[in-house]
């Protein structure tokens, strides 16, 4: 449930779930507002996300990184979810790694980025 003021965020959340479900060829994708992310103040999480993801310059790199992380690094499923070619996904993710100056194969890095894209 969302209040009228929260409808834009709820709509974006539903769109992300739909993209995940389509990419995973699943009939349903659920959103869970609990877990570790619920332990951090939303304003602090958003500030950290903005600082961490700032070098990406916004869309489409941030959207690509979000989809790629949510689909566990699958090039093909990310390409399907975003409606782009898999080589475009590879190029964007390589650009993200370069701009963030980080190793996206490191699970700790991926976890922190996942929390950031969810908070951002």
């Amino acid at each position: 449930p969302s209040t009228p003021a929260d409808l834009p965020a709820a709509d974006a959340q539903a769109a992300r779930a739909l993209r995940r479900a389509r990419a995973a060829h699943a009939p349903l994708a659920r959103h869970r507002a609990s877990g570790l992310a619920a332990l951090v103040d939303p304003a602090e999480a958003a500030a950290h996300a903005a600082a961490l993801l700032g070098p990406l310059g916004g869309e489409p790199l941030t959207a690509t990184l979000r989809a790629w992380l949510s689909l566990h690094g699958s090039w093909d499923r990310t390409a399907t979810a975003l409606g782009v070619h898999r080589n475009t996904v590879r190029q964007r993710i390589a650009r993200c790694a370069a701009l963030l100056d980080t190793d996206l194969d490191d699970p700790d890095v991926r976890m922190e980025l996942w929390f950031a894209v969810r908070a951002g």
Side-chain angles (χ1 to χ4, degrees), residues 66-117:
R66 179 184 300 114
W68 184 75
L69 290 168
S70 75
L71 295 167
H72 310 289
S74 170
W75 306 114
D76 291 328
R77 290 175 32 204
T78 302
T80 299
L82 296 175
V84 299
H85 193 274
R86 65 179 294 181
N87 289 343
T88 301
V89 173
R90 286 181 181 272
Q91 291 168 352
R92 288 179 184 173
I93 294 300
R95 184 78 177 132
C96 289
L99 289 171
L100 296 172
D101 191 28
T102 194
D103 178 11
L104 295 178
D105 290 328
D106 182 333
D108 291 331
V109 169
R110 287 166 81 140
M111 181 192 64
E112 184 171 3
L113 289 171
W114 175 245
F115 282 118
V117 296

Side-chain angles (χ1 to χ4, degrees), residues 33-42 115 118:
S34 60
L36 291 176
L39 299 175
V40 179
D41 176 64
F115 282 118
R118 288 196 57 207

Side-chain angles (χ1 to χ4, degrees), residues 22-74:
R22 284 182 177 157
H25 303 291
L28 181 66
R30 295 189 188 274
H31 172 74
R32 294 176 198 93
S34 60
L36 291 176
L39 299 175
V40 179
D41 176 64
E44 289 182 32
H48 177 70
L52 183 63
L53 301 172
L56 299 182
E59 307 292 335
L61 293 179
T62 303
T64 302
L65 181 63
R66 179 184 300 114
W68 184 75
L69 290 168
S70 75
L71 295 167
H72 310 289
S74 170

